Amino acid sequence: MMQAVAKPRIGIIGTGAIGGFYGLMLARAGFDVHFLLRSEFSAVAAQGLQVNSAVHGALSLNPVQAYSAAEDMPPCDWLLVAAKSTSSGLAPVIAKAAAPGAKVLLLQNGLDVEDSLREVLPDSLHLLGGLCLICVHREGPGVITHQALGAVNVGYHSGPAHDEATRMAIVEEGAGLFRSAGIDSQAMPNLHQARWQKLVWNIPYNGLSVLLGASTAPLMADADSRALIQALMAEVVQGAKACGHDIAPGYADFLFNMTDKMPDYWPSMHHDLLHKRPLELDAIYARPLAAAKAAGCELPRIEALYRALVFIDRRNV
Ligand SMILES: NC(=O)C1=CN([C@@H]2O[C@H](COP(=O)(O)OP(=O)(O)OC[C@H]3O[C@@H](n4cnc5c(N)ncnc54)[C@H](OP(=O)(O)O)[C@@H]3O)[C@@H](O)[C@H]2O)C=CC1
Ligand SMILES: CC(C)(CO)C(=O)C(=O)O
C-alpha cells in the first residue's frame, strides 16, 4: 500500500499583507500553517484573518494558529518571512521556528536582502528568495485587501544544498506549495537577476508614490510622470547590465504597459509613509546604487530620487 506523504508544515514570520495573504491561501489549500504576529496578534487570535480579494472574492480563516512568540511555534519545514526588509533581529526568530534543515523563503522587495540574513542564520537552514508580483495591503488588523495579480517566483540563495540539481529540486518544491494553493509560481534559476528585474518596477513606482504623493493611476495619466518613470526604468536596466544582468529588451515596456492596465494602486512604500514606518530605502535604492557604482556605473536619476526619499524618511517619525 502506498504511504501518503505528509504535507510540509509552514510558518509565516510577519503576518502583514504578504504573509497574511499567502498564509491564508496555503491554509485554505489544506497546509498546516502557523502565523507569527506582532501588533495584530490579539485581533487575529480573536477574529481570524480576512482577505477581500478582487481575484478570489472574500476569503476568511478562523481560527488562525496565531503566535506572539516564535518559541511557541511548532518546528516548521518551510518558513515564509514576510516582515519588511527594514525589520531587524529576524534570524533568532527564524531559528526558533525552524525544523532541522528547514527552508526559509524571504518574501521581500529589494536587492541582496538575503545576504544580511544569511550572515546570521544557522548554516543548516536553506535560504531562498521569493519575488511577489501582487498588489495587497493591510486595511485594518487582520484584514487584507488584494487588488490584483498574485504570483510568487522562487530562487535558491544559499545553504546546505551545494549542487544545482538539489537546489532546483528545493526551489520546485517551494513553487509547488504555492501552485497547489492556486497561486502562480515559477522557479527562478538566477535569483540575483530576478531581483534586478523586479526593481525595474519598484524603483520608479515605490519612490514616486512617496515623493509625489500619487498612486499608479495619476502617475500613469500625466505625460511628465510617465517620462520620469520610463527614464528611471531605463536607469535600472543600465545598472543591472553593469552588474552583469542583461534584462530582456522590452521588459521595462512590458511592466510600464502592465501598470497602465492595473487597477489604481498605492505601492507598499506609501503605506509605510502613511503609518510612519521606516521606508525600505536600503534594499530598494541604496543597495542597487552601491552595486552599480562598484561596477563603474552612475545612476543619477535614481540617486536623486533616493536622496529625496531619505530626506522624507528622516522626517517621517
Ligand atoms: N504589499 C505588496 O503588495 C507587496 C509587498 N512586497 C514586499 O513584501 C514585503 C512585506 O510587505 P507587506 O506585507 O506589504 O508589509 P506589511 O507591513 O503589511 O507586513 C509586515 C508584517 O511583518 C510584521 N513584523 C515585522 N517584524 C516582525 C517581527 N520581528 N516579529 C513578528 N512580526 C513582524 C509586521 O508586524 P507589525 O504589524 O507589528 O508591524 C507586519 O505584520 C516587503 O519587503 C514589501 O516590499 C512585495 C510585493 C508586493
Ligand atoms: C505592483 C507589483 C506587482 C510590481 O511588480 C509589485 O509586486 C510590488 O508592488 O512590489
Side-chain angles (χ1 to χ4, degrees), residues 15-18 38-39 83-84 108-109 132 134 136 138 265 280:
T15 308
I18 291 284
R38 201 168 52 178
S39 62
K84 286 254 154 73
Q108 288 176 347
N109 276 325
C132 306
I134 189 167
V136 276
R138 286 190 271 171
Y265 173 61
E280 292 183 292

Side-chain angles (χ1 to χ4, degrees), residues 109 132-135 149 198 201-202 258 262 265:
N109 276 325
C132 306
L133 299 159
I134 189 167
C135 301
L149 307 172
K198 181 107 200 296
W201 197 93
N202 292 118
M258 174 190 92
M262 260 166 43
Y265 173 61

Side-chain angles (χ1 to χ4, degrees), residues 24-248:
L24 175 143
M25 294 298 283
L26 289 160
R28 285 173 58 91
F31 287 97
D32 179 21
V33 186
H34 299 261
F35 296 82
L36 182 69
L37 292 114
R38 201 168 52 178
S39 62
E40 298 186 356
F41 169 73
S42 307
V44 171
Q47 295 150 33
L49 280 168
Q50 195 184 319
V51 170
N52 298 319
S53 168
V55 180
H56 307 283
L59 308 174
S60 60
L61 184 69
N62 195 11
V64 168
Q65 304 189 97
Y67 303 83
S68 59
E71 45 271 43
D72 298 334
M73 294 172 75
C76 297
D77 307 301
W78 277 87
L79 287 166
L80 311 190
V81 181
K84 286 254 154 73
S85 58
T86 46
S87 300
S88 56
L90 289 176
V93 172
I94 294 168
K96 279 178 200 146
K103 290 108 184 176
V104 178
L105 176 60
L106 191 57
L107 298 177
Q108 288 176 347
N109 276 325
L111 192 68
D112 295 337
V113 282
E114 295 84 6
D115 293 0
S116 41
L117 183 59
R118 179 75 269 174
E119 282 168 17
V120 283
L121 210 59
D123 293 343
S124 59
L125 300 183
H126 299 277
L127 181 58
L128 295 88
L131 295 180
C132 306
L133 299 159
I134 189 167
C135 301
V136 276
H137 64 272
R138 286 190 271 171
E139 200 67 63
V143 182
I144 295 155
T145 298
H146 173 214
Q147 286 183 270
L149 307 172
V152 184
N153 294 333
V154 182
Y156 197 87
H157 179 266
S158 56
H162 294 299
D163 62 285
E164 200 47 30
T166 314
R167 287 173 170 227
M168 283 316 283
I170 292 171
V171 167
E172 283 296 349
E173 185 192 333
L177 299 181
F178 290 105
R179 286 200 287 262
S180 59
I183 294 160
D184 185 26
S185 183
Q186 308 296 326
M188 302 179 298
N190 187 335
L191 178 59
H192 206 247
Q193 157 104 11
R195 285 208 168 277
W196 268 108
Q197 274 188 210
K198 181 107 200 296
L199 288 168
V200 177
W201 197 93
N202 292 118
I203 285 186
Y205 291 100
N206 286 41
L208 292 180
S209 74
V210 166
L211 187 65
L212 304 181
S215 53
T216 54
L219 288 175
M220 296 305 283
D222 182 276
D224 287 302
S225 46
R226 283 175 82 87
L228 182 53
I229 290 162
Q230 286 178 307
L232 287 163
M233 283 182 161
E235 274 199 4
V236 185
V237 172
Q238 206 187 315
K241 190 175 173 56
C243 294
H245 303 291
D246 278 322
I247 294 181

